[in-house]
Amino acid sequence: TVFGTPGYQPKHVNEQYMGTGDNGGVHHNSGIPNHAFYKYATAITRTKAADVYYKALNDYLTKSSQFIDLRLAIIQAATDLYGAGSAEVVQAGIAFDEVGISNGQGGDYEESLPINPGTEFLLIYNTDQADPNTLYRTAVAVTSIEDLTTTDFLSRPSVTDQGDVAVFVASDNTIHAIKTIPGSTAVETVIEDTPMWSNVVISKGGSKLAAVSTDQEAIIYVYDFAGDEWAQFPLYNPTYSDGVTSAGPVYADALEFDYSGEFLVYDCFNRIDNETGDDIEYWDVNFIHVWDNDASDFADGTIEKLFASLPDGVSIGNPSFAKNSPMVLAFDYVDETDDTYAILGCNIETNEVNTIVENNSLGWPSYNKMDDRLAFTGWSDEADDYSTGYVALNTDKISSGGQVKGLYGNTKWPVYFTIGEREIGDEVITDIPEQPATEEALACYPNAFDRELIVAINDPALGGAKVQVFNASGQAVLSQPMGPVDNAQIVLDVEQLKPGYYFLRLSNASRSAGCKVVKR
């Protein structure tokens, strides 16, 4: 049989399907390791082969493991069970040789990011109604606290990776942005004035927003700043059958971009009709592919679940990524059968799950810049209000000693952030204009350009601006101070740029303006 026909199962890598169907052939190509198991079981008995495969799956294989990783895991598991040089080890190598999975170097799929070198701060939301200020910024290393705004929030603030801008939904259901850099005025801007939003997040590099509406619809909205375009992504429950989905999602709430800028993790309220009793309702955590960096365009909206199923009465939500380990998440856990709360940690590469800390309310967890602390919200019966605290994490980042240290009373939604720059996948436009400039603020010509690009500055408020040029993928390909201005214009040497579309931006402490250009 050939790919596309019922029952197609290659048994050797030279027959492997390499197309895009079947999610890259994940079901069809499973015939190759299946045939390796058949060969191995024939040689050493099915019982022994099953024991070896079980140990390999349990101890060595991870979510991203490839064929070579399976070979190495089976050989190591056989060595563990039967000893080096045993017939079980030798036959494992032979079985994989016979299906074309030869010996080699396995992969390391637990990526680590460099630690942000900047100064760390904490955003906290004030719940004391006697205090008109709503959002505070506090330095983690010293006891200083500054108020940023009196605007009422509907959602936890979301901050860029370099810590310069936070976004949130205000109580009037509009989307706001606010400057978070100490030493500068905390200018607040309404960046989406349609009163329809309930939650919003900004990507790590600041190039995109993701939001959900007050209509509680099964849709996530994503906005691309560079393209000035919104896209809608319908929610569904994926199944293990290729191309088959199931009903259930009602609406999403908490969101966060991953560090590539391509995926969102989100929690979702689900309702499943039950004809014999009450409907089944629960929250779970999912991942959705919303952006394609290679195509520099919106992605296909493919969804994966964090867990295939949850125990009856259990919900999870408010997921948050670790700062330096993109495969590590913390999230809230609620068991409605006994009204218990906890914050759990999960390594989504190894599928390890641990309890980080027991809690008495939803926690909205947030990792600090070193990933050795987790801040969260709790409930104080004495104050009859929320409070914030933190717990020290173990080196696995998904467990702790459980000792909670208090931070601030009458507060919730703690968010660690760091003022600094590091190389991440979504290294893109990381600012939102404090005062939106008109298109006439500057002009770029010739457009299209070859070796030089002339920027005519028509707005005196742009004096002393920083000049940045971003490619179609959002990467900064030129960044420099404006330098001398001759007759209110600057000339940029851009001969080294490859042909294509670019976005030029001038920005200083009070003004920002830009234009789209093309290199021939």
Side-chain angles (χ1 to χ4, degrees):
T1 58
V2 297
F3 177 75
T5 60
Y8 174 71
Q9 286 271 272
K11 62 181 181 180
H12 194 280
V13 293
N14 61 16
E15 303 170 337
Q16 184 176 350
Y17 171 71
M18 303 299 289
T20 58
D22 184 33
N23 198 23
V26 293
H27 296 93
H28 296 288
N29 289 332
S30 65
I32 299 170
N34 290 345
H35 195 59
F37 176 83
Y38 165 77
K39 292 283 188 180
Y40 190 40
T42 300
I44 69 165
T45 76
R46 186 171 60 183
T47 299
K48 283 187 175 182
D51 289 342
V52 171
Y53 266 68
Y54 179 84
K55 184 170 182 62
L57 287 167
N58 194 56
D59 294 352
Y60 298 114
L61 293 172
T62 67
K63 178 182 178 181
S64 301
S65 293
Q66 305 297 307
F67 284 166
I68 179 58
D69 300 298
L70 175 61
R71 175 192 172 113
L72 297 175
I74 295 301
I75 290 175
Q76 184 59 56
T79 302
D80 295 343
L81 292 174
Y82 300 105
S86 63
E88 289 78 6
V89 172
V90 171
Q91 291 298 325
I94 293 172
F96 280 90
D97 285 340
E98 290 183 346
V99 299
I101 303 175
S102 55
N103 200 15
Q105 180 68 40
D108 180 8
Y109 306 109
E110 293 194 58
E111 176 189 4
S112 293
L113 298 174
I115 295 171
N116 192 319
T119 302
E120 185 175 30
F121 295 87
L122 186 69
L123 290 179
I124 47 174
Y125 185 73
N126 172 44
T127 57
D128 183 357
Q129 295 184 359
D131 182 353
N133 298 301
T134 54
L135 188 67
Y136 282 91
R137 177 187 59 228
T138 175
V140 171
V142 296
T143 54
S144 66
I145 186 166
E146 299 177 80
D147 58 277
L148 299 182
T149 182
T150 58
T151 302
D152 288 328
F153 287 35
L154 283 184
S155 67
R156 177 171 67 169
S158 169
V159 191
T160 59
D161 190 73
Q162 73 172 30
D164 59 339
V165 172
V167 299
F168 62 91
V169 173
S171 59
D172 63 357
N173 303 111
T174 61
I175 297 176
H176 291 221
I178 188 169
K179 291 288 186 180
T180 50
I181 299 177
S184 63
T185 303
V187 178
E188 185 175 340
T189 307
V190 178
I191 59 174
E192 220 299 306
D193 60 5
T194 308
M196 60 172 285
W197 306 106
S198 63
N199 209 335
V200 66
V201 293
I202 192 166
S203 61
K204 307 301 183 185
S207 65
K208 292 173 283 294
L209 297 175
V212 291
S213 77
T214 56
D215 289 339
Q216 295 188 343
E217 55 191 341
I219 293 174
I220 291 177
Y221 297 82
V222 177
Y223 177 72
D224 171 39
F225 280 106
D228 189 21
E229 183 180 5
W230 285 95
Q232 298 183 24
F233 293 89
L235 305 182
Y236 63 88
N237 273 330
T239 70
Y240 288 110
S241 298
D242 184 36
V244 177
T245 63
S246 64
V250 179
Y251 64 92
D253 181 25
L255 313 156
E256 185 174 351
F257 276 96
D258 79 337
Y259 286 87
S260 72
E262 292 191 306
F263 293 86
L264 281 167
V265 62
Y266 66 95
D267 61 16
C268 184
F269 178 67
N270 297 267
R271 181 182 296 117
I272 299 175
D273 294 336
N274 184 2
E275 296 181 357
T276 61
D278 294 336
D279 292 344
I280 300 172
E281 298 181 342
Y282 65 94
W283 290 84
D284 67 354
V285 172
N286 305 265
F287 303 88
I288 183 169
H289 191 197
V290 297
W291 187 257
D292 186 331
N293 283 338
D294 292 335
S296 190
D297 200 356
F298 294 107
D300 57 8
T302 300
I303 292 175
E304 293 185 21
K305 302 179 78 66
L306 178 60
F307 301 117
S309 61
L310 295 170
D312 290 344
V314 168
S315 287
I316 57 175
N318 299 316
S320 181
F321 283 106
K323 292 294 193 295
N324 310 307
S325 296
M327 309 308 291
V328 172
L329 283 172
F331 52 88
D332 279 316
Y333 169 97
V334 181
D335 188 342
E336 294 181 357
T337 61
D338 56 8
D339 198 29
T340 57
Y341 294 81
I343 296 175
L344 306 189
C346 176
N347 184 318
I348 59 179
E349 182 61 39
T350 63
N351 293 320
E352 294 177 273
V353 181
N354 281 311
T355 299
I356 294 178
V357 64
E358 295 181 355
N359 202 9
N360 58 4
S361 74
L362 294 177
W364 298 279
S366 176
Y367 282 89
N368 72 338
K369 82 167 192 173
M370 301 297 293
D371 286 342
D372 58 7
R373 288 185 180 182
L374 190 80
F376 62 97
T377 300
W379 180 261
S380 170
D381 289 329
E382 182 178 353
D384 193 28
D385 199 354
Y386 289 110
S387 63
T388 54
Y390 75 89
V391 63
L393 296 170
N394 296 328
T395 56
D396 62 6
K397 306 183 182 183
I398 59 173
S399 64
S400 76
Q403 184 175 359
V404 178
K405 294 187 178 181
L407 286 170
Y408 300 97
N410 305 110
T411 57
K412 65 178 180 179
W413 296 338
V415 177
Y416 281 116
F417 70 101
T418 302
I419 305 293
E421 295 185 358
R422 59 176 173 171
E423 292 293 327
I424 58 172
D426 186 20
E427 186 67 22
V428 288
I429 303 170
T430 55
D431 199 8
I432 296 173
E434 295 175 352
Q435 303 174 30
T438 65
E439 293 183 1
E440 291 75 24
L442 58 81
C444 301
Y445 63 92
N447 197 6
F449 62 88
D450 291 310
R451 298 182 178 182
E452 291 183 341
L453 180 62
I454 300 173
V455 183
I457 303 168
N458 304 318
D459 186 348
L462 286 169
K466 181 180 180 180
V467 182
Q468 291 177 292
V469 177
F470 302 89
N471 64 18
S473 298
Q475 297 172 312
V477 294
L478 185 151
S479 181
Q480 66 185 49
M482 189 158 65
V485 177
D486 183 17
N487 296 323
Q489 68 181 30
I490 57 175
V491 180
L492 299 177
D493 180 2
V494 287
E495 184 176 7
Q496 77 279 9
L497 298 183
K498 297 178 180 179
Y501 290 93
Y502 294 88
F503 179 80
L504 179 141
R505 184 184 65 167
L506 269 62
S507 59
N508 56 26
S510 62
R511 180 71 77 171
S512 178
C515 57
K516 295 179 181 179
V517 292
V518 61
K519 171 73 178 289
R520 286 188 290 218

